[in-house]
Amino acid sequence: MADSNITSRMMQLGIREPDIEETFARSSGPGGQNVNKVSTAVTLQHLPTGISVTVQDSRSQAVNRKLARERLLDAIESVRERQRKTEIAKREKERRRKSPRPAALKRKILESKRRRAELKKQRTKIKLD
């Protein structure tokens, strides 16, 4: 069931197995002699995006492989979500920038400009003949 969940998420995200590079190394931390002798740490890299994840939570390489795939998919999803939100914010900013001012605000601005112009006209030099 768990593998089918990962497989379905990969299909949903459009990630193919050949796009993922998998490497193994010896873990560190608790696990006794097992972590010193067996390469249980798993590093997955998604080649198109360059996103990389390393997992060494368990003494079992199989468990670490499963966890690494889940974390890689989570990382790819979060990057895509961040890009989507950035794009939406950019579109919204452009929409707000292009939208016309409300009529009341426009009248208020123009009235303020008229008053300022009148004030400046009063500063002109008086001609002495």
Side-chain angles (χ1 to χ4, degrees):
M1 176 63 192
D3 284 337
S4 66
N5 182 27
I6 292 172
T7 306
S8 65
R9 276 182 72 191
M10 285 177 70
M11 286 176 56
Q12 186 180 21
L13 290 169
I15 298 169
R16 299 176 313 127
E17 198 60 43
D19 293 342
I20 298 174
E21 185 179 87
E22 191 172 40
T23 55
F24 304 98
R26 292 199 178 113
S27 292
S28 62
Q33 189 176 4
N34 185 62
V35 296
N36 298 328
K37 294 179 80 175
V38 182
S39 297
T40 57
V42 178
T43 300
L44 293 181
Q45 182 177 16
H46 185 238
L47 299 175
T49 60
I51 297 172
S52 181
V53 174
T54 301
V55 177
Q56 57 182 14
D57 296 0
S58 170
R59 290 180 60 186
S60 165
Q61 188 183 71
V63 172
N64 284 340
R65 287 181 76 197
K66 180 178 173 293
L67 288 172
R69 277 191 172 26
E70 289 174 358
R71 290 183 190 169
L72 182 67
L73 294 176
D74 290 343
I76 291 170
E77 281 178 340
S78 68
V79 166
R80 288 186 181 173
E81 183 66 20
R82 201 174 320 122
Q83 288 173 340
R84 190 181 70 79
K85 285 182 179 179
T86 303
E87 185 61 35
I88 289 171
K90 186 176 164 186
R91 271 185 291 175
E92 276 299 306
K93 185 176 182 180
E94 190 66 19
R95 184 190 63 77
R96 285 192 306 272
R97 189 181 70 77
K98 287 184 175 181
S99 67
R101 286 191 171 125
L105 178 62
K106 196 168 184 177
R107 279 194 302 274
K108 189 175 175 183
I109 290 170
L110 289 174
E111 183 56 38
S112 170
K113 285 184 173 188
R114 277 190 213 98
R115 273 189 261 123
R116 186 80 182 139
E118 287 299 319
L119 228 159
K120 285 188 165 191
K121 277 183 187 176
Q122 292 174 4
R123 291 190 208 155
T124 57
K125 294 182 180 177
I126 300 171
K127 290 183 183 179
L128 298 173
D129 290 322

